């Protein structure tokens, strides 16, 4: 890690994210919502692709058929080992820190980063690194952990939380994890993307119905159907816990 790099705040080494977070938990709806968005945003044919903070490659079956070459990048060696056990040689793996990516300038024609921004304290540095490793004309699909969600607005307006979802400051939810946990206002992130030089091509509202009561009452299958229509329709209001961006680095491929 470089001296200037903010310290790694969420170390998944030794943590069985696959089993504990996905397999043993009721998250089929969230998984389906991520996949739907990725199918809509990732280019159909990709040359050199990298999944940044891709964990054990949960979403690799979405991008492997579309990419000539695919790399999974993560800090956790535990995650990368699991990925190699699942995908073998079809997926290259590389360990490192997001703030100091071990890739050359313009090395990739496309990338994605899903369910990772909540671990990163400095999204300006992260965005600069992602921009650097993309070729001109390249595409980045980035999921942002949204601060301005509907439940949080209700909680703030009824004085049940001090986190103000309407202002653009970064929400550091230290009460959720001792290591810290960050949520971002969509406008704050959009400013960072634009200042970095990215063009925002598409936005989707994702995991719109991430709610225990809704799951119990409507059931996962029905929520997945509703989610598909809602991702585009609700994008302008940016109220969902996950906001997906398709960004383009200007220039010819
Ligand atoms: C919630 S998981 C998401 C994994 C995958 N993208 C998915 O959606 O299933 C977050 C990932 O970020 C990785 N991570 C955390 N801090 C990191 C850092 N500083 N550099 C690289 N990866 C990091 C973790 O190891 C973990 O695999």
């Amino acid at each position: 890690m470089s001296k200037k790099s903010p310290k790694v705040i969420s170390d998944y080494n030794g943590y069985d994210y696959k089993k504990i977070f996905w397999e043993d938990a009721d998250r089929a709806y969230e998984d389906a919502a991520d996949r739907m968005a990725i199918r809509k945003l990732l280019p159909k044919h990709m040359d050199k692709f990298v999944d940044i903070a891709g964990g054990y490659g949960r979403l690799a079956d979405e991008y492997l058929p579309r990419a000539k070459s695919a790399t999974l990048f993560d800090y956790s060696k535990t995650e990368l080992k699991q990925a190699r056990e699942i995908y073998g040689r079809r997926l290259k793996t590389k360990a490192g820190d997001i703030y100091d990516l071990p890739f050359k300038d313009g090395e990739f024609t496309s990338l994605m980063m899903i369910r990772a921004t909540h671990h990163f304290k400095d999204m300006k540095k992260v965005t600069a690194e992602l921009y650097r490793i993309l070729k001109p004309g390249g595409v980045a699909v980035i999921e942002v952990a949204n601060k301005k969600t509907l439940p949080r607005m209700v909680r703030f307006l009824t004085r049940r939380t001090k986190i103000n979802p309407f202002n653009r400051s970064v929400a550091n939810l230290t009460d959720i994890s001792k290591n810290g946990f960050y949520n971002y206002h969509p406008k704050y992130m959009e400013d960072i993307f634009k200042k970095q030089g990215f063009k925002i091509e598409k936005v989707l509202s994702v995991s719109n119905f991430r709610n225990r009561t809704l799951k119990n009452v409507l059931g996962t299958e029905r929520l997945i159907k509703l989610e598909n229509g809602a991702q585009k329709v609700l994008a302008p209001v940016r109220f969902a816990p996950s906001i997906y961006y398709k960004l383009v680095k200007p220039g010819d491929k």
Side-chain angles (χ1 to χ4, degrees):
M1 202 191 313
S2 83
K3 276 185 193 151
K4 284 186 196 151
S5 164
K7 90 184 163 61
V8 172
I9 54 157
S10 285
D11 191 347
Y12 281 52
N13 281 304
Y15 168 56
D16 197 346
Y17 169 64
K18 179 171 180 280
K19 181 168 174 6
I20 296 168
F21 193 86
W22 291 106
E23 292 171 356
D24 290 353
D26 175 16
R27 290 203 168 90
Y29 159 75
E30 286 83 349
D31 181 60
D34 285 335
R35 289 171 186 278
M36 261 175 222
I38 289 163
R39 281 174 208 157
K40 290 169 193 161
L41 300 182
L42 266 192
K44 295 268 176 289
H45 303 285
M46 303 186 291
D47 192 10
K48 279 193 85 180
F49 169 86
V50 60
D51 181 2
I52 299 286
Y56 65 90
R58 171 176 67 98
L59 300 162
D61 47 352
E62 298 298 334
Y63 53 75
L64 281 171
R66 298 178 183 219
K68 278 192 194 155
S69 120
T71 302
L72 179 72
F73 170 80
D74 203 275
Y75 183 78
S76 161
K77 296 200 170 121
T78 306
E79 299 294 314
L80 296 177
K81 184 171 173 280
Q82 276 183 346
R84 284 191 294 275
E85 283 162 11
I86 302 168
Y87 301 101
R89 287 188 180 182
R90 288 190 294 152
L91 189 57
K92 294 175 199 159
T93 57
K94 186 85 182 166
D97 179 20
I98 186 83
Y99 295 104
D100 195 7
L101 291 174
F103 302 117
K104 288 189 236 134
D105 295 2
E107 188 164 336
F108 297 97
T109 55
S110 44
L111 63 83
M112 74 177 198
M113 189 175 82
I114 311 299
R115 286 180 174 262
T117 59
H118 57 285
H119 292 314
F120 305 145
K121 190 176 181 177
D122 188 342
M123 278 308 297
K124 279 187 198 149
K125 272 194 185 159
V126 170
T127 305
E129 274 297 85
L130 298 180
Y131 192 85
R132 181 185 69 73
I133 64 164
L134 261 191
K135 251 191 176 169
V139 170
V141 172
I142 298 178
E143 182 264 354
V144 169
N146 188 11
K147 172 191 182 186
K148 202 190 85 175
T149 61
L150 200 53
R152 202 170 279 140
M153 285 185 205
V154 173
R155 282 205 296 276
F156 179 71
L157 294 172
T158 54
R159 299 172 189 269
R160 281 181 289 151
T161 178
K162 284 190 178 148
I163 296 168
N164 180 350
F166 302 102
N167 73 34
R168 296 188 186 187
S169 61
V170 178
N172 182 1
L173 309 174
T174 43
D175 52 334
I176 288 180
S177 154
K178 67 179 168 47
N179 292 320
F181 202 80
Y182 302 92
N183 278 188
Y184 292 93
H185 192 288
K187 294 292 171 208
Y188 172 89
M189 282 311 308
E190 288 161 30
D191 276 355
I192 290 180
F193 293 148
K194 284 188 215 152
K195 279 188 187 139
Q196 183 58 53
F198 277 119
K199 183 173 164 279
I200 300 176
E201 198 162 86
K202 271 190 200 157
V203 182
L204 292 177
S205 173
V206 176
S207 264
N208 295 284
F209 312 111
R210 190 187 292 172
N211 175 281
R212 170 72 33 218
T213 312
L214 281 177
K215 272 185 198 169
N216 291 343
V217 174
L218 292 174
T220 297
E221 287 309 311
R222 215 167 287 151
L223 284 189
I224 291 173
K225 281 193 190 132
L226 287 174
E227 170 75 19
N228 201 21
Q231 290 193 339
K232 194 171 169 197
V233 175
L234 295 180
V237 290
R238 316 264 203 277
F239 287 170
S242 282
I243 307 295
Y244 270 64
Y245 292 92
K246 178 176 182 179
L247 308 173
V248 176
K249 178 170 176 171
D252 289 332
K253 276 186 191 162

